[in-house]
Amino acid sequence: MPSLCRDCLRHAAQPFGRCPACGSRRTVTHPDLFHLTVAHVDCDAFYASVEKRDRPDLLTKPVIVGGGKRGVVAAACYLARTRGVRSAMPMFKALAACPDAVVIKPEMAKYVREGRRIRALMEALTPLVQPLSIDEAVLDLTGTEALHGAPPAVVLARFARQVEKEVGVTVSIGLAANRLMAKLAAERDKPRGFAVIGAGEAAGWLAPQPVSLLPGIGPAMAKRLQAAGFSTLGQLAALSPREAMQRFGEDGPSLAARARGEDERRVIPDRETKSISAETTFEADIAARAALEAPLWRMCEKLARRLKEKDLAAAGVTLKLKTAAFATRTRAARLPQPTRLPDVLFAAAQPLLAREADGTAFRLIGIGAQPLVQAAEADRGDLADPEAPKRAARWAAVEALRARFGDDAVVKGRGLKMGRRE
Amino acid sequence: MKFTVDRAVLLKALAHVQSVVERRNTIPILANVLIDAKTEGNLTLTATDMEIAVVEEVAGVTVARGGRTTAPAATLYEIVRKLPEGARVELDHGGGDGPLTLRAGKFNTTLAVLPVDDFPSMTEGRLPTKFAIKAGVLRDLIDRTRFAISTEETRYYLNGIYLHAAEAEGAPVLRAVATDGHRLARVEEPLPEGAKGMPGVIVPRKTVNEVRKLAEETQDEIEIRLSDTKIRFGLGTVALTSKLIDGTFPEYERVIPRGNDKKLTVPKKDFEEAVARVAAISSERSRPVKLSISRNNLLLTANSPEQGQAQEELDADTVAYESSPLEIGFQARYLTDITAQIGDKVEFLFADGAAPTIVKDEAKPEALYVLMPMRV
């Protein structure tokens, strides 16, 4: 069974626990170690790590990156996490759990810049790099062994060392036979991890895990599955394609396949993002148009934020709906001029929704931006809409308030959930 | 129902009404024309698409038996058009579901009819504003603005001409405005009597085009009546009633620049032809033509990634410009759409290379165009 030392990169066909060359205990041993080629790379507590790098005085302190006292946690360092702080947690809760935490306002431009540096290092390893977010990507290193003179596992360990040295943050790597298992492996060993899941062991490893482990199964879906008697992935995995289709519609067979650890998705190097979207699955199906507009508005706000993060703008919108019977409907409209404003996205999606809201019950609504254009083109106003730049400024002010005081600091009435207070 | 009428008379009437009928229609009755012959010798033809209704009174008809029916407008028009000149046409309908028979000389045909009761009637309601306008003036208002009407669905309130009463230098005017966001056209005429206090209305593009066709044939006064939801154009024997666009037209006055002081004048013909020539290098319509302007000199350039560059210079023989040098780009078609409405000399008023530009006909100050530049 082959082994690899992640510190000095010594590797051998025979297993070793402690590295025979440098004595490090950071070694990895797996029968398929030198055959697996798909890697998922995820930076550890990225925003917090970048801040700690820039302020060494914070190294030993719990650090939270996020809004002010009433905001939410964007990232928490591992020290803060040991005290119970989690991403997306309201700041007051986080501070209750960890009162001595240092709270830092996010500086997105800096994280984007550092994320790009890491991506450049990845692209030196293989052309097949598919970025998933600012600090996360999947790589296919198939066929690169001759080029690098070493198997992918060694190349990846070297890459992790290089990121630590040159960028000053740590990454966790999952190595597996496909994208799904690579992602799950990366999550298994964090931070500064290197986990390997072989093709043969995937199904066995997944079987006892809860269904919510699988990416794509959110809280609403997990509840639905549990209600249908599926609490572990093993139970889902046992379904034949036919049974899966009957129970869960057209997405059923692929759901069961993923529960077995199968994933056919290829790594597509898209350096350019082609579309950005936001969607949400409802706790209970919704048919009424007015009731669908509230989550649509929230998704438009989310999409606007994502566009801002990526420094892009929407030249058109795509409305996505999934019926209670799991049929997907998408409707697209071109925008008169590119935008990053949620109310413009909403105004374009509203008539599309009106045409679809014919009494059908829907389980999911989403809004996508496509095609994408450069942010500089957005909301410049034209002869029929000279106010657009002012509205853009107003929205920027709202976003600034939210960054300081939390997402609930300023809320549009139409975004409020009906019938209950949040 | 049975009547005879000269082919030419019927053809002209059918031409008027059939053009509002939608070609691709899912509601069969809307493809039909309502034919109403009264015993006393009147014939009216009506066609509608539910947004617009055109009613034509036809004279010179010999009615043998009064009655009403509906028949396919396009087919009827095609048949009548192909009948020999000078033919006398007889239309005969026995009532009920039976077919409509058309006879002319040795030709005869039958057409399927649909029940008259299914034919939608458009109620005009009260149309309190009433004024008359010369056909030539209305044609002018339409021609100089309709090219700027937007086709974009999301901003439906731009899909027509905004017609309203305003004041220009102290005098009341009737104004027509259209914009698609990239260009804006504003034309004004002295306010006709009766139009004072009229509501601002947005006349839909299709209505504009239909009225323009009808106005082509007459030099008489056209009678306009309107409320805030409907407009009716009376042109002699034809009346066109249309719904209006229910929306708010943008406050266009705010986008018309006031301080543009860099003035360029150039003969329309030279300019238009030069733009067409340099723009021909690229098949991509949205590519800009760049105007590089210096003292009494205008250089037009266009680029195409495949072909390279085309340029043409207009010099002091034709161009007048006294301000500081300037570079600005516009979509070629937007320039020629405007110059097509201009007589001899085009006057440009620039602020800078990124700001909206005013274009005018030097001899006709009543028409004003605003054009957004493109980045070049």
Side-chain angles (χ1 to χ4, degrees):
Chain A
M1 210 183 318
S3 283
L4 162 69
C5 170
R6 290 157 58 200
D7 282 330
C8 72
L9 304 183
R10 167 81 168 252
H11 53 283
Q14 282 74 44
F16 51 75
R18 192 183 266 253
C19 175
C22 71
S24 166
R25 290 184 192 281
R26 295 180 70 236
T27 61
V28 51
T29 302
H30 192 278
D32 299 339
L33 184 64
F34 293 152
H35 302 300
L36 297 169
T37 55
V38 179
H40 188 104
V41 179
D42 192 2
C43 299
D44 303 319
F46 186 54
Y47 303 171
S49 305
V50 172
E51 295 299 345
K52 281 200 172 194
R53 176 200 68 180
D54 292 349
R55 289 180 57 184
D57 56 306
L58 297 180
L59 263 182
T60 54
K61 300 205 173 85
V63 168
I64 297 175
V65 177
K69 273 213 162 75
R70 295 178 54 204
V72 292
V73 175
C77 77
Y78 281 83
L79 214 56
R81 289 191 199 195
T82 58
R83 311 271 283 277
V85 181
R86 295 284 174 269
S87 294
M89 183 183 257
M91 196 56 84
F92 73 91
K93 272 194 190 169
L95 288 177
C98 184
D100 57 333
V102 179
V103 178
I104 298 175
K105 262 179 71 174
E107 200 186 320
M108 283 312 296
K110 182 159 79 177
Y111 312 142
V112 169
R113 197 172 60 231
E114 296 308 313
R116 285 194 182 138
R117 279 178 69 193
I118 297 172
R119 188 160 310 151
L121 296 178
M122 292 176 180
E123 277 158 2
L125 308 184
T126 169
L128 297 181
V129 177
Q130 182 170 350
L132 302 174
S133 73
I134 176 174
D135 63 341
E136 199 179 356
V138 52
L139 287 70
D140 187 346
L141 289 124
T142 309
T144 62
E145 190 162 349
L147 175 74
H148 295 299
V154 178
V155 171
L156 287 163
R158 190 192 297 148
F159 160 78
R161 217 171 55 167
Q162 190 183 13
V163 172
E164 280 182 32
K165 215 163 88 188
E166 292 181 12
V167 185
V169 300
T170 62
V171 298
S172 292
I173 294 173
L175 181 61
N178 63 39
R179 290 182 51 173
L180 170 67
M181 295 315 296
K183 179 175 173 61
L184 293 173
E187 280 167 12
R188 197 163 77 163
D189 186 19
K190 252 181 163 304
R192 219 181 165 215
F194 195 115
V196 181
I197 299 179
E201 63 189 319
W205 182 76
L206 286 171
Q209 310 277 359
V211 288
S212 56
L213 182 83
L214 212 57
I217 299 189
M221 181 74 175
K223 240 187 220 174
R224 211 174 260 259
L225 287 170
Q226 248 146 28
F230 296 91
S231 53
T232 66
L233 289 171
Q235 288 168 306
L236 273 182
L239 291 175
S240 72
R242 199 196 161 87
E243 289 166 334
M245 175 83 89
Q246 280 164 351
R247 280 183 165 272
F248 305 113
E250 57 181 341
D251 295 341
S254 78
L255 184 68
R258 279 185 288 139
R260 289 189 288 271
E262 295 163 16
D263 184 7
E264 306 268 285
R265 285 174 304 159
R266 295 162 51 132
V267 175
I268 300 153
D270 75 356
R271 246 157 268 179
E272 270 178 75
T273 317
K274 294 215 174 60
S275 78
I276 299 177
S277 59
E279 60 182 50
T280 181
T281 304
F282 313 135
E283 285 166 24
D285 295 340
I286 303 179
R289 191 178 109 192
L292 286 162
E293 284 185 351
L296 176 63
W297 169 254
R298 289 195 298 271
M299 290 308 108
C300 287
E301 287 202 326
K302 203 168 182 177
L303 177 60
R305 204 167 305 151
R306 289 182 178 168
L307 286 167
K308 188 181 164 209
E309 275 170 18
K310 300 229 169 179
D311 210 27
L312 291 167
V317 298
T318 307
L319 175 76
K320 177 179 171 187
L321 289 159
K322 197 176 262 190
T323 68
F326 287 87
T328 303
R329 296 187 192 173
T330 57
R331 300 288 179 266
R334 200 68 205 191
L335 288 165
Q337 53 171 328
T339 192
R340 287 162 67 167
L341 301 182
D343 48 351
V344 179
L345 297 168
F346 184 77
Q350 217 175 6
L352 302 177
L353 175 63
R355 261 172 262 164
E356 298 307 312
D358 50 7
T360 311
F362 294 102
R363 63 188 314 272
L364 172 150
I365 195 163
I367 176 102
Q370 200 186 17
L372 291 167
V373 296
Q374 291 310 307
E377 309 278 321
D379 305 307
R380 301 203 300 174
D382 65 12
L383 296 172
D385 186 17
E387 294 294 299
K390 264 190 204 163
R391 284 202 312 275
R394 204 173 327 153
W395 169 245
V398 167
E399 283 293 86
L401 282 174
R402 288 178 173 175
R404 265 182 80 182
F405 300 115
D407 280 358
D408 294 340
V410 189
V411 180
K412 270 242 192 197
R414 63 161 80 111
L416 293 173
K417 283 193 181 166
M418 300 285 184
R420 72 166 217 220
R421 290 182 62 118
E422 280 183 298
Chain B
M1 179 191 82
K2 185 171 173 179
F3 61 87
T4 53
V5 58
D6 280 340
R7 176 229 178 223
V9 172
L10 183 61
L11 182 65
K12 192 176 162 200
L14 281 171
H16 289 162
V17 299
Q18 64 94 30
S19 89
V20 304
V21 168
E22 286 283 352
R23 291 289 172 271
R24 300 155 307 209
N25 207 311
T26 48
I27 308 170
I29 190 79
L30 294 183
N32 279 18
V33 52
L34 175 69
I35 307 165
D36 185 351
K38 298 202 175 66
T39 333
E40 49 273 27
N42 298 335
L43 171 68
T44 60
L45 299 180
T46 308
T48 183
D49 66 355
M50 311 272 274
E51 298 290 319
I52 304 173
V54 177
V55 182
E56 169 113 17
E57 303 275 348
V58 190
V61 184
T62 314
V63 179
R65 189 171 72 244
R68 308 202 295 162
T69 190
T70 81
T75 316
L76 189 57
Y77 172 72
E78 276 308 305
I79 291 169
V80 174
R81 202 163 66 90
K82 292 189 166 81
L83 292 175
E85 255 175 73
R88 188 82 182 158
V89 186
E90 181 192 84
L91 284 168
D92 185 354
H93 182 241
D97 301 343
L100 173 73
T101 306
L102 182 151
R103 296 183 199 94
K106 289 178 177 165
F107 172 81
N108 76 82
T109 184
T110 55
L111 290 163
V113 303
L114 287 169
V116 170
D117 291 345
D118 292 354
F119 195 84
S121 70
M122 195 156 113
T123 51
E124 284 176 1
R126 230 172 66 79
L127 302 172
T129 300
K130 180 180 157 187
F131 58 91
I133 189 168
K134 279 251 182 251
V137 172
L138 185 64
R139 283 199 296 265
D140 248 16
L141 284 177
I142 293 176
D143 289 346
R144 297 194 204 162
T145 49
R146 69 166 160 180
F147 64 86
I149 297 175
S150 167
T151 52
E152 165 207 313
E153 268 182 61
T154 36
R155 294 191 287 187
Y156 58 91
Y157 47 83
L158 301 180
N159 298 159
I161 292 178
Y162 180 48
L163 204 61
H164 62 297
E167 222 169 70
E169 284 153 18
V173 290
L174 177 67
R175 245 186 215 163
V177 182
T179 181
D180 63 3
H182 304 291
R183 57 252 172 92
L184 180 143
R186 188 195 77 183
V187 182
E188 53 201 25
E189 292 289 343
L191 192 70
E193 203 164 319
K196 195 164 174 255
M198 70 174 272
V201 295
I202 308 170
V203 186
R205 180 181 38 247
K206 183 171 173 186
T207 306
V208 167
N209 291 339
E210 291 302 320
V211 168
R212 179 64 183 84
K213 268 188 253 171
L214 296 173
E216 187 66 43
E217 298 170 14
T218 176
Q219 295 305 323
D220 298 344
E221 295 228 307
I222 291 169
E223 185 208 68
I224 296 177
R225 295 179 187 216
L226 58 88
S227 65
D228 55 4
T229 56
K230 295 227 171 72
I231 190 164
R232 180 184 188 276
F233 296 86
L235 304 97
T237 57
V238 197
L240 182 149
T241 307
S242 165
K243 291 183 187 168
L244 294 163
I245 292 176
D246 181 12
T248 308
F249 200 79
E251 288 179 46
Y252 65 89
E253 286 291 350
R254 302 174 52 184
V255 301
I256 299 177
R258 309 261 165 238
N260 286 14
D261 56 358
K262 298 181 175 183
K263 182 165 139 187
L264 165 78
T265 51
V266 57
K268 165 229 169 98
K269 192 166 174 289
D270 295 317
F271 180 77
E272 202 171 58
E273 289 174 0
V275 167
R277 273 191 293 269
V278 298
I281 191 168
S282 173
S283 52
E284 224 181 298
R285 276 206 327 195
S286 61
R287 286 198 83 80
V289 168
K290 185 166 84 176
L291 280 58
S292 309
I293 311 154
S294 51
R295 196 181 157 78
N296 297 337
N297 190 287
L298 168 62
L299 180 69
L300 295 138
T301 40
N303 286 296
S304 147
E306 301 85 33
Q307 314 296 342
Q309 197 188 60
Q311 62 179 59
E312 179 157 348
E313 194 176 354
L314 298 174
D315 57 23
D317 291 346
T318 50
V319 175
Y321 182 78
E322 302 286 338
S323 305
S324 52
L326 180 79
E327 282 200 347
I328 193 164
F330 298 105
Q331 197 168 319
R333 189 170 56 89
Y334 291 172
L335 286 170
T336 51
D337 277 350
I338 291 173
T339 53
Q341 301 309 323
I342 286 178
D344 292 333
K345 277 219 159 158
V346 190
E347 179 182 306
F348 288 92
L349 291 167
F350 303 101
D352 58 60
T357 296
I358 291 181
V359 191
K360 281 178 171 170
D361 187 333
E362 208 189 27
K364 289 182 188 163
E366 71 275 12
L368 176 141
Y369 308 96
V370 184
L371 201 46
M372 286 284 273
M374 288 176 82
R375 276 193 285 183
V376 283

